[in-house]
Each structure stands twice: as C-alpha cells, then as structure tokens.
C-alpha cells in the first residue's frame, strides 16, 4: 500500500459491531467480563481501548513500523522512552531541540541519574566521540526546532547499530509524509501528534512507533504502568487528522516554499532557515532523506533586534501569534521569548536562537494571502 492510501486505510478495519466506517469513540473505562478473565480482549482502558488501538494501528502503518503507541502528549511519549533507561545510563541528544524535551531531560531525568550529552549532529561522525560503555540512547530531532538543521538519520543509525544503542527520532516536524526514520535505521519514532498528525490545533497528543518487538513490549509496559494515555475522543480526532495528512502536507510544502523564497529576497531579512535552499548546510542530506522540505521556516531580521521581531509577530494577521505548529492555520512564534524561554540565553544563542529569530508554521491558506500578510508586517 502506498503512503497516500495508508493514511486513510492503514491498519484500519470497519467496526465489527455495525460496520461503521470510522471507529466508534469507545468512551468507556472498563469492559464487561462473563467470567473472571472472560472478555473480548479489552479489560480496562488505560491498558487498551478500541478507539486508541485503531489510532495506534494507523500510526504503525504510516511510519512503516509494527507497533504504535499513543500518549496524552508528545512529552508523555518522550517520557515513556526515557523510562527505558536506568540511573547511570547516558544519552546523546541533538543540542538544537524542542525546548520541552530539553527541560524534561535536564530538569527531571538528569536528577534521576541519567547523563545527557547535547551536541551538534550535523556532522554525524562527532557522535562516536561521546559513546562509552554507559551510552544507551541517541535522541535525534530532524529538522531541528527552530533552526531547521538536518541530521543524517542513516549515518546516525550506523553509529547506533555499531554500538548496540537505541536510536529514537522525533519526527514531529517532517511527519512520515516527508521522512520515515524506521526505514532509515531508527528504532523508535516519536511524534507530538498535537502538530501535523492531528493537524487542526484541536488536540494534544503524543505517539511512538517501533519495529522491534522487544522494544515495543518495553514501551507498552511503560505506557500501561505509568499510564500517560490519551482518551478515546482525542484518539478519534487524530485518526481523522491522519486521513488528510498527505493532502495537507503537500500544500504545507508548496506554501512553505513560496514563503521561504519571498523572505529570502526581502531586504530587511538577514537569514532564512529552510532545508529546501541549495545553500542550506545539509541540503543534500535533506534531499536524500526527505521527499520535500515542509512548511516550517525560521528567519532573522537585519540588526537582530528583539523589538523588530516582536513588532512583526504582533502585526501579522493571517499568521496567528501562538505556540505550536503543524495545523491548517498559519502560526508564528518568537522562540527566544516563547518556546525556548526555558533554555538559558547563552545556551540558545549557541545554537542560533537569537533575539530576532521568528519561526513560522506555514499553513494551508492561499499563498498570496500569506505573502501579503508578511509584506504588511515586515514593511
Ligand atoms: C510540540 C513538540 C513536542 C512536545 O509535544 P507536546 O504534544 O506539546 O507534548 C516535542 N517535539 C517537538 C519537535 C514538538 O514540536
């Protein structure tokens, strides 16, 4: 089955009770048993719920994995991966990553005795320098948030395999429409399904997909034992979102390309970060591991003035100033004061998150309206 068919049919069966085409929202915590242990595969909804299972099967299918798991948020999904570790274990992570992931790693798991190495991974060979007998996990985000750096998943996977590590890839920005990390050698794919998978800015959810049964079993154990699951209503919404993922992504990519080129030619704009530019440092890797370049773009203004950036995001009208990304509507954000405020200024500037940086999540509105909105805001 091709991707554009999998988004609609992958892992799905019509409901056996009445043949409903979409799975019903099984809004129940528990399931009747005829005799102790005599049930139809469902005992309690933290462990299993038919609506969540339908979503989990869809997730596994679109990521070319075998096992899907849905959680109450993207961070709950990342938290479940971290629970595969023990005190003393070490993690090598992308340095330019989602602020909430950085906060979870440094403010919670570091205190539990996990050691993190945050490094630039644009040159994957550097990773090997940080591998030792305690290393267990490599955490990759690509494209990175918000600098749009590209990490070579295949190259990282080779290092991970050679050292018997687990490679987890946060695929939130790319989505499986653009990039399929399991096919490139990753062990776990993670999503903030809040973003493109849900696609309509109406639900908070996280997801994991794995190929290997041993890893999947450990993750299912954590999912049930820690219990950070999502509800059936939210499962239904994200399953519905996935059915249009390919159509939405195609337009996100078209609009993203138009906006990136417009900004690149604007006299008041200093840098535009978008992997589709030929002079992007890892454009070749992006071209080989992604099928297109997506709708996420960051840029800085000349003079690198915080006030200029804030004035632009306040003036934008079609682009809503809001955290989050990946919905049908265009959003803009100011990472230094919003999503990345929890990363110390010195740390964030090292990775390029300077005061004038603005991040756009280009939606699926008409391209001309997006460009004229930027025109009136930037001046
Ligand atoms: C939003 C986001 C997360 C966290 O997901 P939540 O659903 O907000 O918990 C993790 N990684 C990336 C890249 C994100 O954009």
């Amino acid at each position: 089955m091709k991707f554009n068919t999998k988004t609609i049919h992958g892992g799905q069966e019509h409901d056996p009770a009445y043949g409903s085409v979409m799975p019903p929202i099984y809004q129940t915590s528990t399931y009747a048993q005829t005799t102790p242990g005599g049930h139809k595969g469902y005992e309690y909804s933290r462990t299993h719920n038919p609506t969540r299972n339908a979503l989990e099967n869809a997730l596994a299918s679109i990521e070319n994995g075998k096992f899907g798991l849905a959680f109450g948020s993207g961070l709950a999904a990342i938290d479940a991966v971290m629970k595969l570790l023990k005190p003393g274990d070490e993690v090598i992570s992308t340095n330019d990553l989602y602020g909430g992931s950085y906060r979870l790693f440094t403010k919670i798991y570091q205190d539990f005795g996990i050691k993190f190495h945050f490094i630039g991974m644009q040159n994957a060979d550097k990773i090997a320098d940080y591998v030792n007998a305690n290393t267990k996990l490599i955490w990759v985000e690509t494209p990175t948030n918000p600098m749009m750096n590209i990490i070579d998943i295949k190259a990282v996977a080779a290092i991970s395999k050679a050292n018997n590590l687990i490679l987890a890839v946060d695929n939130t920005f790319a989505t499986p429409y653009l990039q399929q990390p399991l096919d490139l050698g990753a062990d776990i794919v993670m999503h903030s399904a809040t973003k493109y998978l849900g696609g309509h800015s109406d639900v908070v959810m996280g997801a994991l997909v794995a190929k290997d049964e041993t890893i999947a079993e450990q993750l299912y154990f954590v999912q049930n034992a820690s219990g950070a699951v999502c509800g059936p209503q939210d499962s239904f919404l994200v399953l519905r979102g996935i059915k249009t993922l390919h159509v939405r992504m195609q337009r996100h990519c078209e609009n993203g390309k138009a906006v990136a080129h417009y900004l690149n030619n604007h006299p008041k704009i200093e840098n535009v970060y978008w992997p589709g530019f030929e002079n992007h440092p890892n454009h070749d890797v992006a071209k080989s591991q992604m099928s297109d370049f997506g709708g996420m773009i960051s840029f800085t203004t000349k003079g690198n003035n915080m006030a200029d950036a804030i004035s632009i995001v306040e003036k934008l009208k079609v682009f809503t100033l809001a955290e989050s990304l990946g919905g049908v509507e265009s959003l803009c954000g100011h990472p230094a004061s919003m999503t990345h405020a929890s990363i110390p200024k010195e740390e964030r500037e090292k990775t390029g998150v300077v005061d004038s940086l603005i991040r756009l999540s280009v939606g699926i509105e008409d391209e001309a309206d997006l460009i004229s909105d930027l025109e009136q805001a930037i001046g």
Side-chain angles (χ1 to χ4, degrees), residues 56 69-74 76-77 80 204-208 219 222-223 228-230:
E56 292 177 333
L69 301 94
F71 294 84
S73 71
V204 171
M205 191 190 284
L208 299 175
L219 292 171
V222 173
Q223 184 192 37
V229 294
C230 52

Side-chain angles (χ1 to χ4, degrees), residues 12 22 44 69 104 116 133 148 151 154 194 197 248 266 268 273-274 284 308 326 331 347 352 359 364 371:
Q12 302 307 298
M22 275 301 277
Y44 186 62
L69 301 94
L104 177 69
F116 292 88
M148 307 299 147
I151 295 165
K154 245 189 204 160
T194 314
L197 297 188
R248 289 183 286 109
H266 197 292
K268 290 189 181 167
Y273 302 99
W274 181 66
D284 288 345
D308 290 345
L331 300 181
E347 268 315 293
R359 190 190 76 180
I364 63 171
I371 303 240

Side-chain angles (χ1 to χ4, degrees), residues 33-82:
Q33 306 192 10
T34 48
T35 177
H39 54 74
K40 298 178 174 170
Y42 293 90
E43 287 168 284
Y44 186 62
S45 282
R46 173 166 27 75
T47 321
H48 298 292
N49 173 282
T51 319
R52 196 179 87 218
N53 281 8
L55 168 67
E56 292 177 333
N57 292 338
L59 290 164
S61 167
I62 59 174
E63 281 289 3
N64 284 342
K66 281 204 187 121
F67 307 96
L69 301 94
F71 294 84
S73 71
L75 280 169
I78 301 172
D79 186 77
V81 176
M82 291 300 133

Side-chain angles (χ1 to χ4, degrees), residues 73-75 78 98 101 141 170 172-173 190 192 194-195 204-205 325:
S73 71
L75 280 169
I78 301 172
Y98 179 70
S101 308
E141 206 182 297
D170 182 337
T172 300
F173 270 38
M190 175 263 153
S192 169
T194 314
K195 317 294 169 54
V204 171
M205 191 190 284
L325 61 107

